[in-house]
Each structure stands twice: as structure tokens, then as C-alpha cells.
Amino acid sequence: MKALPAVRLRLPRPGFPWSAPEVPQGFERPVVERRVGADYDTGWSRRPLARHARLLLLEGPIRLGVRALAAPERAGGDRLAKLSGPLIFAANHHSHLDAPLLLTSIPEPWRHRIVVAAAADYFFANRLIAAASALVIGAIPIERTRVERRSAERASALLTDGWSLLIFPEGGRSADGWGRGHRGGAAYLALRCAVPVVPVHVEGTGRIFGKGAKRPSPGTSRVTFGEALRPGEAESASRFAGRIEEAVAALADEAATDWWSARQRAAKGETPPLTGPRGTSWRRSWALGDRRGPQTRAAPRTAWPRF
Amino acid sequence: MKALQVERSLPRFAAARLAGAVAPGRGARVGPLRLVDVDPPALPGPAWHRVRPRLSGICGSDLATVDGVASPWFEPVVSFPFVPGHEVVGDLDDSGGGVRVVIEPVLGCAARGIDPPCEGCGGDDVGRCRNIAFGQLEPGLQTGYCADTGGGWSLALVAHQSQIHPVPDGWSDESAVMVEPAACAIRGALKCADAGDDLVAVVGAGTLGLCVTAALRRFVGPERLVVGAKHPVQRRLATELGATMVVAPATLARAVRRATGSMALGDDDGAGSQPLQRLTGGAGVVVDCVGSATSLAQALSIVAPGGRIVMVGMPGSLTVDLTPLWQREVELVGAYAYGAEPALGRRTFDLAFELVAEAGLGRLVSATYPLHRHADALAHAAEAGRRGAVKVAFDLRDEKGRERL
Amino acid sequence: MRPGFVLEVDRSTPPTLFHHGEGFRLERLPVGSRIVYPPEPLPVLPDIDGAIRHALLHPVDSEPLPALLSPGMRLTIAFDDISLPLPPMRRPDARQRVIEAVLDLAAEAGVDDVHLIAALALHRRMTEAELRHALGDRIYDAFAPRGLLYNFDAEDPDNLAFLGRTEQGEEVEISKRAAESDLLVYVNINLVAMDGGHKSTATGLASYRSLRHHHNVRTMQHSRSFMDQHRSELHSSNWRMGEVIRNAGVKIFQIETTLNNDTFPKPFDFLQKREWEWSLRDRSTYLGATKALRRTPDRVRRSIFQSVLAPHNLTGVNAGEVDAVHRLTTAKVLEQQVVHVEGQADILTMGLPYISPYNVNSVMNPILVMCLGLGYFFNLYRRQPLVREGGVLIMSHPTRWEFHPVHHPSYIDFFEELLAETTDPLELEKTYEQSFAEDEWYRHLYRTSYAYHGVHPFYMWYWGAHALQHLGGVIIVGGDPKTVRRLGFKPATTLADALEMATDVVGPHPSLTHLHAPPLLLAEVT
């Protein structure tokens, strides 16, 4: 039996310039430098067109989304009333929601002239994510794994230029609902550019969309702005970072109890630390009480088909 | 003779009711009341006299009849067709024109020829006569509601000897015509005699309200007497006649609360939308001289627990929440007409003559009309307060044909 | 900042602004009239929180606040109520800033027992929203839920302390908590020269029993004016009471703040400009606003006006011993407000605004109109009144027959019942004051609702007693005739009519002075 000739469906293949040219022999294909990660240039996202687009996004869908998901209660905005010029907002970090929540909470005139320090390895992993981060939240890449001179220089240039900075000095989202120790970036930048640091405490977003959560579960959140801190004369970055951490811890205390009790404890040096008690993980969770982190929800049991 | 007569005509009553709903007093044009030419009433017996009215007042109960809203209660105790008018001063016919008399309109046992008299009339309390529909006369609780006697809104009526009170010399007709309403007011005022130090509140300052105010001042003498009066002329007169405080009806509750130091309910909703309405204490006695659902409700809301409401104004059929009456154990007392006043040992009409003279109640007559302008007269009476008047009356002194009768 | 001055009206002078309740009028004043313009706002302190802290740490005639604080002590912080400042200031309020600073120091010192009391005397209680506005959410949330932040109750016999009598026999009875505290910190806002000093505690935390000794006709008629402490019987009495309070061992740390007169927010700041300096924008705002307001329902218009928050802010803060502090404060108030005026006029005109100390978030009723015009504005003088004895006061206000039934229940009865009888303050005081002061229902509403005390309308009337005695007549332009007559004044439709009516009293060709306020000023009349 004679084998049937194989039927080959031939689609017309478009040639150059519709497809990539073949490289003539003897030539090396030039290596294109992909500038992502810490090297990503976010300059375009601060030009008027991008800023206006961001303004529309922020005041429209993002604000609505934040309200629907996190129902934020905002306190302490009056403490900012007396400030002017660029500020560094240093907040604790529970969730990806924190940045949009804070961007919609920070009062004018800082709200629309602010950049967010975002992890270069996460938010600038590839060009698409990087562009989205830069456009939507005005992110600038910061290396979190190592000290990197360029990202610090870039941030300080922006601060000098009158841009404010939102930074999460814990260097990442909380895994268990408790904070992590502060890194020195915010303090260092404040010292270097002589810009006041506003401690900010965010509560509740961990429950709504914490680290590891697959989908958000709407809830309530609370943002508390603190009194601006200025580095003392000859204060070192690490000491100042410690003060910022204490200030955020005091705000956490204020949000959990009330201002007066928080002040009393702060004056006695009894403010509960942000990092929670030492010990085994269940004890840490237990100590969180109602402020527990992301809750794994049991799949809803349906006793009857639902249409 | 000319007379204003009320006929029993259902369509006319219905029309009056509709017109009266548009504006009080309007029933006069379309209603059961018509100006007609009728024979003068015949004398029913030997003790009867013919009286030719000089002035004849328009009373609130007359207005109700004209507007077709009088209570069905009256139906068996009136007889059609009748000539209204029970506030009458007139000339006694057989005296040769020299004697003016005031009619005491209640048609008791004496007038009806019933002997022995009933319990009421026997005690000279004719207002409480048990025989108002019986005896030699057609049914009719008063002159002005009885087919046989005629009424004040005509050139002639007949009156029994017992109904006749001569007018003292020197009295104006205006003063004399106020004797009957003053007597009603005294009847009501004397039901407040045990008010003591309690506040007495008078709701309404029309003819009755003002007469009650004067009567309270003269015969009861309450320390504090507050009157709710809507119109400026009423306020002025109420003050002159002895009110210690005169306020607008809307603020009567406030004034009573202030005067009694009572607490109040219903003013504290935060938005301040509700006016103060209910008192927890209040006036010891409230005299309702209006007789509407609103006035009775107001009286109920400002009377003190265990207090008394005296209804002087004719009420008719009302829809009122009587829960406060029950919960606050309030006495509701009627004050219809007159007779004997055992508390003072005199007849109400005698007291009325005294009151009219002493308080100068003749000034309450603000306007008079001839019979043929009855529509205007009734409209004026219905809106008396707003138009700056108190008592409106028919003036029959210059009617044509009066002398010929 | 330019000082205040007196302008003589000539043919080129533009029409003059008159406040007119929730609206405005532009009136052309006769040539030769004089207009007293207030000084422009003083500059605000550059570092307010720094200044507050400095005042607490370096008080006058007193140890620094931290030295007065110790663990286990009883600390009471009293503060001025909703009647100050006018209009309410933007957040953060001066009281919040000062009290937060005080509490910070108290926390550092380990003080646990702290009470905060709104020193409102016989005023209405402050609502939660009003307390939050004055003190901020942090203080409210920390203290109110535990019952440590509350309104003073002058009718709570269990919580009043009788401290004694002055040498003139005046009884002194103030808040028990304040009297028994180890330290009373009083935080005030000194809007006008009348406020502050010993009046803060001796009036703000006192009961009727105590207040009646200086809130009466005789005192007010001998306070000329009550804006001038040294010629004010009101202040002499309060100072005597202050002495009794001090001798009773009550330790007061007084903190007084002064505001500039930056009264109206943009774009309505033209209301505090001189008319010839109104820009095109100012003029169009004026025209647009007046036109729009005329078409706005009363209720909406009121809520628009009542929501105005003034941009005024602190020009000074002083802390320490009451007398010493108050001297500095008064000097600062005078620096902002004094305008020199030569000679009195036959006629004084003024436009009354929508707000008085007693109708914040409320209705400006006719009695408050009287009090604002004849009480406050008439008394904005030192040495002698702006208008001569027997002269005429012309004020412009709609003066409607309306009351806030929750806030001013006793005012309604005062107006409906008493003013119909008499407008003579002495007669009112003698015959009726006590029955209103002791009325159980008013007492109940004052204590549990948001009502001014039963006796408060009398005080309003007494406030104008000096003016009633001094003036030959009062005319209200644009006022509801029935209401104005009930007040005992004369209504006029236009200013021209009013001037015509005034000449019947003061004779032809009268001299006229116009008080161009607010912003507030204090006329030094020589």
C-alpha cells in the first residue's frame, strides 16, 4: 500500500519585516540590556501625562476600591496641618493594599506629589510590572536585599526636588501580623535631605489581604498619622530609625487603645513593641488577639445547589 | 312678617355642609336658612307674651346649624321649620312699647305647661329640664329651635312669662343682648369655682371665651388666669376682662407650662421640629370655649392630672384621643345653659345681668346687620376674630313692618 | 498688617458693607460720616506648637508646668466652650493644641487622674461633634468614653463646691472637681478683651448662685464697657471671686491664647477688606453670593453660614499665674483690635452678622440680635461709647421671629411672654428672673438636652442694659417689624428711612459713625 503523501497545511509565512530578520552568519546578535529591577528608570512616570493619569486612577477606581475593600478610618491628619514641604511617610506594612490605602489617605498637598519606595525585586521584576507599578502608585525601585547607593541617591534627589516619599521601613509585608524591625532607609534619607519623617500606622489591611492571602476579604482598616519627627542634631541614622519605630509603635498603641493611654505608656517606656512578643509562633498569634493576620476561610458549604 | 327660617330640607343641609366646609358661614347662601315671609307665631296660652326683637345675636351653635354641621343629637329636640335666634333683647308687645326684655330661651316645664315640673325645673334649673320635647309645645330645647315659639331672627316671637327678664333702665340694647351668652359663660365659670390656687386656662377668646374670662374674674377670682387668644382684638379684650396672661393659641401650652412649672414632653427630638405639645403637669382647670377637636385635644394636653376640663363651647361630634382623659384621670364637664346657681344662691341670669353691667360686656357687640344681609352677617360672625369682631347681631329695630305687627 | 483707622466718607467713597444676618447690604452713608475699620490680621505665630510648649515650660509668675505635675495628683483641665471663638476655627482648634501639649507633659509626669471639663457655666452643653471639633478626636476618644471628658453642670448640687464669699458678700460656688483638684489648668481662647482672666474660672465653672452676683442689671450698667477690665464692674466682681478661689487653695495654671482677626475664609475674605480694595473677583463673588443667597431657603442658608470655619489662628499663647498671664493676653488682644476714634457721634450704625456667641450651630433669635448689637457691639469701646448719650443706634439684621426650640427653650417664653409685658431689664430681673432660673423643665433641658439655662435670656437682656440706658433709640434696618417692636425697638426698611427716623431723636444734621465689624475691633474713643 502506497503511503499517502503527508498533507501539509501551508500557511503563508510573512517574511521580514513582518518577522524577525535572520542574522547573517558571522554576526553576533547584540545583547540588549534590559533595564528592570533597581535600574528601571521611572522618570517618565513623573511627567505631566503620567501624573494626570495617576491622579484619575487614584481618585477614581482606586479610591472606590479601597473604600469598598478596606473601609478606612483615618485619624491624625490634623497633625500634618502645620507642616509644609516634602515629607517622608514611614508606615508599617501588612499588605499590598497599604500603598493604595495610604496614597488615598495622605492629605493634600502631599498626596499628588509623592513616590512610593517599592521593592526592586518584586515590583520591578519585569518591564510590564515595573511600568504598572510606576504608573499606578508612582513607585520607585529600592533594593531591599542590599544597600544600594543608586536607589538612595535617586530617592534623595526626588526629595530635594520637592517630592514626598512613602516608605515601608520594615522592608516587606508582615507574615504573621506582627511588625518587623525597621531598616535605616527612611532615617538615612531624612538625615541626608533634612526632611521630617511622619510615622504612619496602618491597621486592618493584614486581615483584608495579608501576605499569602489568595483573595481579599473586605473589612475595616485604620490609618493613623503621627506627629512629624525631625532628626536631632548629631543623631545617628540608626538612633533616628529607632525613634521612628517607637513612634509607629506608639501609634499602634494609640489605634488599639486611645491617645491618652498610649501617651502614658510611651512616657513610661511601656509601649508594646511593633514586633510583638518573642516566642513561638502560636504565642505571637495569640497575642495579636483580634488583630490576627490573614484568616484562611473555610470554603462555604452549600447544602443545596445555588443558581 | 319677615323671618329667617330653617327648613327641614335634606338637599339644602347637604349643600350647606359642602359650602360650610369651604369656609365657615358660607352655608347661609345655599343652606336650609332662608329669608321668608311667615305669619307671626300665635300665643300658645295665657301666660305667653309677644316679643318684638330689637337685637338678636348670632351664636356659634347657630352657625353650626346654618352650615349643616350641628350634631344629629339635636334632631329630636328641635322642630322644623324654626326661626333661629336665642340671644334676644326685644320689646314686650302688650306693654305699649315701653318695656324691653331679655329672653331666657330654655323652654322648660313651665313654658310647656307641664305640672308638676320635672326634677330640673322644680329646682329652678331649667337648663336640666327633662321634658324639652314634650308638653304643649313642639319639641325644642330653646326658643330659636322650636317651631311654635319663633326666634330672634324675625320681627316677632312668643315668650312664656317665666322666660322674660326686664332690662334695667339706662341699658343699651347691646349690653342686653349679651346677657344670654354671659349666662352661659357664668355657668361654665362657676364649674371652676374650686380651682383654688390652680392655674385656670381658657382655650379660645371668642364671645364665650371672653365672657368666661370676665365671669371667672368676677365670680371665681383665680390668681392666675391664662387665655389663648388668636387675634389682636381678642387679646386686648381678654386682658381688659381680667386675664393675667394672654398668649397665642400655639404657645398656650408653653405659657401653661411656664406658669405651673410643669415638665413637658415632645420638644426634645434634637432637630427641634416638633413644637411643645404635651405637659406632664398643667392647669388645674381648662375651660374649652371653642368646642372643636383641636381645642379639646389641646385642653387634654395642658390639663393637670386629676384636673378638670369644662366644655362651654358646643362640641358636636369630634374625633379626639381620650387616652389622656383616662391616663391622667381628668374630669370632663359640660356647661350648657343656666338656671339656679346654688353655690351663690342666685339664678344664673341674675348673675349675668350683674356681670354684663360690671364688666361692660356690651362692648363685645362689634357689628349689626339687617335681616336681608343675613349672608354677610353670618360670614362676618364666622370670621369674627380675624375681622376684628367679637359678637355679630341682627338689628331688627329699623326693619320695615316691625311697627305694624 | 495695616492698623485700623477712621475713614471720613466723601463723594468718592464707595458704598459700605453692612453685615445683615445671613446676608449683606451695601449702603451709601451720608457724606461726612465716619467709618471705623478694624486693623488687618496680625501675623500668626510661626511655630504654634513650639510656642505652646515654650509657654508651658516658661510660664509667667509660676513654676513650669512639669514641676506642678506629679504622679498620683488630681489634674483638671477646663476649657472654653462652643461660644469661642467666632466663627469656630479650623481644625486643629487652639484648645486641642494646648490640651494635647498639657496632656503630653502630664503623661511624662505619670499623672493618671485627669478630668477635662467644658467650662460652659449656664450655656448649652456641647455635642459630641462640637467637642471633637474643639479637642480633636484623639482627646475625645481617650477621655469621653470613660466619662473623664464632660460638660460642666451648674445644676448638679453634688458636684459643686461652695468656696466662700467675697468681701462684698458675693457667693462663690464652682465645680467641685475643679475646686478639689491639685491643679486646675484652664485653657482659654481670648477673642475679645472681655474674655479670660479670673472670669474664666469664676464664671465658666460657676453655678447660678454665684453668677447672679455679677450677671445682673446693676453690674452691667456699671461696666463701661465690659471690654475694658479697669472700668468694668463685671470684671471687678470676677476678680474678687478669683481672690476667694485662690484663698480657698485652688491652684490655677491659666493658659490663654489670642487669635488674630482673620475672620472669613476665601473666597469671602473680601468681607474683611476695605471696599475700595475689592478686586473684580471680590465684587463678582459678592454679587453672586448675595443673589444666590436670596434664592436659598432659610434652612439651607443657615447651614451654609454655620458651616463656615474661620482661618484665624494663634498670635500668642501665655501660661502661668492668672493675673500676670491675663495682662499679657489683654495687651495682645488690644494690639490686634484697638482703633483710635475721636469724639462720639449722634448716630452709630452697625451691621450684625449671622453669628453671636450663643447661636453657634443654632438660630440667631431676636433676643440674641439685641444682645449682639446692644451688648457686644455697642460695648466694643474704651473710655466712652462711640455714640453720645441719648444718641441712636441703627443696626441691620433680618431679626426674624424664630428660635431654636432645643437650644433656646426659655428664650421662647421670655420673648413671647415677658417681652410682651415689659422690656425694662430691671423690671424683668425683679419680677421674673427667679422663676425662670428655678424652672424645673429648663433645668432638666439644660442638664440633659442641649438647652441654654432658663435664666440665660435674662443675661442676654442685661448685657444690653448699659446700652438701653445710654441710648435715645434703637432702629433695626430690615428687621421684621412685629419682632422688632416686641424688642422695644423701631423697624425701618432702608437705612435712609432709619436715618430720617433717627433725626427725630437726635435733631437734624446728625453726625454718624459706622462700626465696620466684624472683624472685631475695639474703639478707643477720646
Side-chain angles (χ1 to χ4, degrees), chain B residues 221-300:
Chain B
E223 213 164 277
R224 294 169 304 162
L225 171 57
V226 52
V227 177
K230 203 185 260 174
H231 304 287
V233 61
Q234 297 176 339
R235 282 184 213 176
R236 183 173 54 76
L237 285 167
T239 313
E240 288 174 15
L241 292 174
T244 53
M245 193 197 311
V246 182
V247 297
T251 52
L252 184 60
R254 280 199 162 273
V256 170
R257 192 214 64 75
R258 259 278 309 139
T260 55
S262 157
M263 302 298 265
L265 300 168
D267 196 21
D268 198 14
D269 66 343
S273 55
Q274 282 183 348
L276 181 141
Q277 280 170 342
R278 272 174 60 188
L279 308 187
T280 52
V285 183
V286 182
V287 188
D288 179 1
C289 299
V290 179
S292 68
T294 326
S295 68
L296 183 55
Q298 182 170 38
L300 283 166

Side-chain angles (χ1 to χ4, degrees), chain B residues 50-309:
Chain B
R50 201 155 69 164
V51 175
R52 286 180 296 156
R54 297 176 63 83
L55 283 182
S56 191
I58 300 172
C59 168
S61 56
D62 298 329
L63 287 169
T65 310
V66 169
D67 280 341
V69 292
S71 164
W73 176 263
F74 287 129
E75 207 169 327
V77 293
V78 301
S79 47
F80 292 94
F82 65 85
V83 176
H86 54 273
E87 303 174 355
V88 186
V89 55
D91 294 314
L92 199 60
D93 218 14
D94 47 11
S95 68
V99 177
R100 287 180 300 159
V101 293
V102 172
I103 307 284
E104 182 174 345
V106 173
L107 296 168
C109 291
R112 294 182 177 279
I114 294 171
D115 197 34
C118 72
E119 215 176 305
C121 294
D124 206 10
D125 218 6
V126 288
R128 294 182 180 174
C129 176
R130 271 84 162 155
N131 291 319
I132 45 176
F134 310 104
Q136 63 174 350
L137 297 176
E138 286 287 310
L141 72 173
Q142 292 190 350
T143 302
Y145 293 99
C146 176
D148 283 347
T149 59
W153 299 1
S154 69
L155 299 190
L157 57 87
V158 294
H160 188 257
Q161 183 74 49
S162 64
Q163 290 182 282
I164 286 171
H165 298 267
V167 177
D169 293 338
W171 275 47
S172 65
D173 291 335
E174 281 76 12
S175 294
V177 83
M178 289 306 298
V179 169
E180 195 275 347
C184 292
I186 291 166
R187 186 77 169 184
L190 290 179
K191 296 195 188 258
C192 314
D194 58 351
D197 300 341
D198 282 349
L199 177 77
V200 177
V202 176
V203 180
T207 307
L208 271 183
L210 292 170
C211 290
V212 165
T213 304
L216 281 166
R217 182 51 58 222
R218 177 149 191 89
F219 300 115
V220 179
E223 213 164 277
R224 294 169 304 162
L225 171 57
V226 52
V227 177
K230 203 185 260 174
H231 304 287
V233 61
Q234 297 176 339
R235 282 184 213 176
R236 183 173 54 76
L237 285 167
T239 313
E240 288 174 15
L241 292 174
T244 53
M245 193 197 311
V246 182
V247 297
T251 52
L252 184 60
R254 280 199 162 273
V256 170
R257 192 214 64 75
R258 259 278 309 139
T260 55
S262 157
M263 302 298 265
L265 300 168
D267 196 21
D268 198 14
D269 66 343
S273 55
Q274 282 183 348
L276 181 141
Q277 280 170 342
R278 272 174 60 188
L279 308 187
T280 52
V285 183
V286 182
V287 188
D288 179 1
C289 299
V290 179
S292 68
T294 326
S295 68
L296 183 55
Q298 182 170 38
L300 283 166
S301 67
I302 61 171
V303 69
R308 181 183 302 149
I309 296 174

Side-chain angles (χ1 to χ4, degrees), chain C residues 221-358:
Chain C
Q221 288 182 341
H222 289 84
S223 298
R224 307 209 164 166
S225 72
F226 59 64
M227 294 291 175
D228 185 355
Q229 287 152 32
H230 306 293
R231 307 193 52 196
S232 160
E233 184 51 35
L234 175 69
H235 287 82
S236 311
S237 175
N238 269 292
W239 256 246
R240 288 192 293 272
M241 291 188 172
E243 193 70 32
V244 172
I245 295 172
R246 186 181 336 186
N247 293 341
V250 180
K251 182 149 184 51
I252 302 177
F253 187 83
Q254 181 92 355
I255 308 172
E256 300 197 333
T257 60
T258 50
L259 298 177
N260 63 4
N261 64 359
D262 193 1
T263 312
F264 298 101
K266 284 189 171 59
F268 298 103
D269 50 343
F270 66 87
L271 296 172
Q272 59 202 44
K273 286 187 189 170
R274 292 137 196 204
E275 287 80 357
W276 57 93
E277 291 176 359
W278 286 15
S279 65
L280 177 64
R281 198 177 129 175
D282 294 335
R283 280 176 283 139
S284 40
T285 311
Y286 172 83
L287 288 172
T290 44
K291 289 262 187 308
L293 284 172
R294 223 169 289 151
R295 284 174 178 72
T296 313
D298 289 351
R299 197 173 267 265
V300 179
R301 189 167 52 215
R302 181 172 306 130
S303 63
I304 293 172
F305 272 84
Q306 290 291 350
S307 65
V308 168
L309 294 178
H312 46 207
N313 217 326
L314 297 196
T315 56
V317 48
N318 293 294
E321 193 275 326
V322 181
D323 283 311
V325 165
H326 197 57
R327 270 194 291 280
L328 296 173
T329 307
T330 309
K332 198 75 190 173
V333 171
L334 297 185
E335 183 187 339
Q336 171 67 83
Q337 294 186 353
V338 164
V339 181
H340 289 274
V341 180
E342 268 179 39
Q344 295 176 308
D346 297 320
I347 300 175
L348 175 64
T349 60
M350 51 176 72
L352 298 184
Y354 64 96
I355 201 166
S356 82
Y358 315 106

